[in-house]
Amino acid sequence: QVQLVESGGGLVQAGGSLRLSCAAPERTFSRYAMGWFRQAPGKEREFVAGISWSGATTYYTDSVKGRFTISRDNAKITVYLQMNSLKPEDTAVYYCAASEAVLTRSPRPYRYWGQGTQVTVSS
């Protein structure tokens, strides 16, 4: 069963930075839209950022605009989420996902998911 693998999570102080990575197992993923989602305990899974297969289009949830940057390296079939100026409210498990269709904020079209990486921001 094909899966995505996230890495780069950890514990940081407020105002710090982390870079999350998402490695895809097959070359075909370079043609998929990719997204980052997060889920805090007791809360719904939330869209954070997304990027089209070409990298030409990106979406961000309002709470992370200006602080987070999504990017991809299709040669490495890897997607990144650069997280700057982190806040305690960013604390969650972050998931990488891939869609064979179009870039969307909804988690429903995303067929492939990783297991998640924990991000904890202390105040």
Side-chain angles (χ1 to χ4, degrees):
Q1 185 175 355
V2 64
Q3 294 188 64
L4 305 172
V5 180
E6 304 97 337
S7 62
L11 173 64
V12 298
Q13 294 182 337
S17 298
L18 287 172
R19 189 183 74 162
L20 306 184
S21 298
C22 172
E26 299 177 348
R27 181 59 57 187
T28 52
F29 281 81
S30 66
R31 303 287 291 192
Y32 295 170
M34 304 292 295
W36 286 96
F37 296 78
R38 65 187 180 188
Q39 187 168 24
K43 297 184 178 180
E44 299 291 330
R45 187 165 297 188
E46 174 192 24
F47 172 83
V48 177
I51 187 167
S52 63
W53 71 267
S54 68
T57 303
T58 58
Y59 292 149
Y60 297 93
T61 192
D62 287 343
S63 63
V64 308
K65 288 180 179 177
R67 300 189 298 120
F68 291 9
T69 303
I70 188 171
S71 62
R72 67 190 300 163
D73 184 343
N74 285 341
K76 301 290 186 182
I77 49 174
T78 301
V79 180
Y80 305 96
L81 185 67
Q82 179 65 46
M83 309 165 68
N84 298 328
S85 302
L86 284 162
K87 303 175 180 180
E89 65 190 51
D90 297 318
T91 296
V93 177
Y94 283 70
Y95 298 90
C96 180
S99 172
E100 297 173 278
V102 298
L103 176 62
T104 177
R105 300 174 188 271
S106 172
R108 297 182 181 181
Y110 290 86
R111 181 177 177 182
Y112 307 100
W113 293 82
Q115 295 300 305
T117 184
Q118 177 71 47
V119 172
T120 302
V121 184
S122 62
S123 60

